[in-house]
Amino acid sequence: MAGASAPSLSIAVMNSGGLGACGALLMQPSSIIDWATEVRAASDRPFQLNLWVPDPAPARDIAAEEEVRRFLAQWGPEVASTAGDAVPPDFTAQCDALLEVAPPIVSSVMGLYPADFVARLRARGIAWFANVSTVAEARLAEAAGADVVVVQGMEAGGHRGCFDADKAEHEMVGLFALVPAVVDAVHIPVVATGGIADGRGVAAALLLGASAAQIGTGFLRCPEAKLHPAWADALANTSPEGTAVSRVFSGRAGRSIATDYVRAATAPDAPKPAPYPVQRGLTSAMRENAAKQSDVQRMQAWAGQSAALARAEPAADVVQRIWHNTEALLT
Ligand SMILES: Cc1cc2nc3c(=O)[nH]c(=O)nc-3n(C[C@H](O)[C@H](O)[C@H](O)COP(=O)(O)O)c2cc1C
């Protein structure tokens, strides 16, 4: 989970039998290497490193950005005229860092890795898990050489992993329909993710044909996740319909708590968000200010539809309870 991948969370999950994970999107290569060094010092169990495959450079519309900046100034500090210029770390350098760390698994989201990187992963014996959100994307991933597809239902917290950003709101498939459809369409193992946060969800995913389940929001209240307390506390009171998919934080569609800012920024009279990553840069001042003031209504509070199932308990207890309950349901 980019921005929510504290080493302590992965260490706790790995040492209790799960797979650790680092969403490295926002990390410079040196930070990726430091993350892996810290995790390896505390656990010899497997983990994955994850990157977003970059979209083509966005078309800039300065007049439209100006409208968004004016709107955002009602929700936080004035937005600097250069705020939309911020770009994520260099993808190629991040890929090199992944190869240097050489974890057992590297995963992708928002698209497919280039063929030369896939070949380099393969040469080092690193498995490639490709996140997909439709049957068509799963087929493309398999054809491109993915070893596993991670199937993301539209219930999921955080960004939707659609290859084509424009389709995110039009191809919203729930996990109950998506898992069996992908299991029938590909020959590689399928991991289910999106709205799974307890043994019932994992058991259902396995019955639908998944080989494993991936959990995001369900770990966000664990102390090892070190989440902002205002966000962690708000998850406990978030109903499935209390979340919303929008582009108002980053310009890419993602599911968050439907806060006051999300509702206002998605109202018909609000300016259309700028494309990714421009909108992320434009909202950065508001998000930082909101975090300082512990104001969840303006924070980027990602949340899946099962947010209320997340427990404020040590991650090891969460993993063990979920697996125990899964086994009980399946035997
Ligand atoms: C805070 C947050 C950050 C996320 N960042 C990433 C990411 O960087 N890469 C990725 O592949 N998925 C990311 N996801 C999506 C998860 O991989 C997964 O699809 C999602 O958490 C599953 O839904 P759930 O949150 O209901 O468990 C993120 C999810 C959350 C909640």
Side-chain angles (χ1 to χ4, degrees), residues 89-132:
D90 180 68
F91 176 67
T92 307
Q94 288 179 316
C95 286
D96 288 343
L98 262 47
L99 290 168
E100 189 178 331
V101 171
I105 299 164
V106 154
S107 66
S108 58
V109 69
M110 311 299 183
L112 298 172
Y113 282 132
D116 61 327
F117 183 61
V118 175
R120 289 164 79 198
L121 289 175
R122 183 142 296 163
R124 283 167 180 72
I126 302 171
W128 172 27
F129 283 29
N131 281 275
V132 301

Side-chain angles (χ1 to χ4, degrees), residues 4-330:
S5 289
S8 44
L9 179 59
S10 280
I11 292 165
V13 169
M14 289 154 67
N15 286 337
S16 54
L19 177 72
C22 175
L25 162 74
L26 302 170
M27 293 163 70
Q28 293 296 343
S30 60
S31 303
I32 297 174
I33 291 164
D34 289 350
W35 187 97
T37 305
E38 184 174 343
V39 168
R40 279 182 168 146
S43 179
D44 57 4
R45 306 285 182 86
F47 62 84
Q48 61 163 317
L49 297 177
N50 170 275
L51 285 180
W52 286 31
V53 177
D55 291 333
R60 300 290 295 265
D61 178 339
I62 300 306
E65 286 176 28
E66 173 59 34
E67 263 192 74
V68 176
R69 284 170 50 218
R70 268 201 301 274
F71 178 82
L72 286 165
Q74 301 164 39
W75 291 88
E78 290 289 324
V79 180
S81 58
T82 53
D85 302 341
V87 287
D90 180 68
F91 176 67
T92 307
Q94 288 179 316
C95 286
D96 288 343
L98 262 47
L99 290 168
E100 189 178 331
V101 171
I105 299 164
V106 154
S107 66
S108 58
V109 69
M110 311 299 183
L112 298 172
Y113 282 132
D116 61 327
F117 183 61
V118 175
R120 289 164 79 198
L121 289 175
R122 183 142 296 163
R124 283 167 180 72
I126 302 171
W128 172 27
F129 283 29
N131 281 275
V132 301
S133 57
T134 62
V135 174
E137 289 176 356
R139 287 202 174 104
L140 289 172
E142 181 176 42
D147 298 291
V148 170
V149 278
V150 181
V151 173
Q152 185 197 49
M154 59 86 165
E155 302 90 337
H159 285 95
R160 288 186 40 68
C162 314
F163 293 5
D164 180 348
D166 291 342
K167 293 187 175 164
E169 293 88 350
H170 305 292
E171 295 187 339
M172 302 267 279
V173 188
L175 200 64
F176 250 75
L178 192 54
V179 170
V182 173
V183 166
D184 289 348
V186 300
H187 302 95
I188 51 179
V190 171
V191 175
T193 192
I196 300 173
D198 66 9
R200 293 172 296 183
V202 176
L206 298 179
L207 285 174
L208 290 170
S211 299
Q214 174 172 301
I215 296 173
T217 308
F219 284 116
L220 288 179
R221 295 185 67 212
C222 299
E224 297 92 339
K226 299 183 175 162
L227 211 67
H228 193 295
W231 175 7
D233 291 348
L235 293 172
N237 302 312
T238 298
S239 62
E241 63 272 29
T243 68
V245 171
S246 79
R247 299 178 179 229
V248 299
F249 290 111
S250 72
R252 262 265 186 182
R255 186 176 294 281
S256 68
I257 300 177
T259 58
D260 291 347
Y261 165 71
V262 170
R263 289 181 203 280
T266 53
D269 58 341
K272 189 170 170 263
Y276 179 88
V278 179
Q279 182 78 3
R280 167 172 267 150
L282 296 177
T283 58
S284 142
M286 174 193 71
R287 291 185 282 113
E288 278 167 26
N289 181 266
K292 267 193 210 132
Q293 299 186 355
S294 294
D295 179 4
V296 76
Q297 295 303 328
R298 298 180 297 130
M299 283 170 65
Q300 180 178 264
W302 300 123
Q305 290 186 325
S306 296
L309 295 179
R311 301 257 191 108
E313 288 175 355
D317 294 353
V318 172
V319 172
Q320 279 156 19
R321 190 186 61 252
I322 289 178
W323 190 240
H324 173 82
N325 290 345
T326 301
E327 285 192 313
L329 285 165
L330 293 180

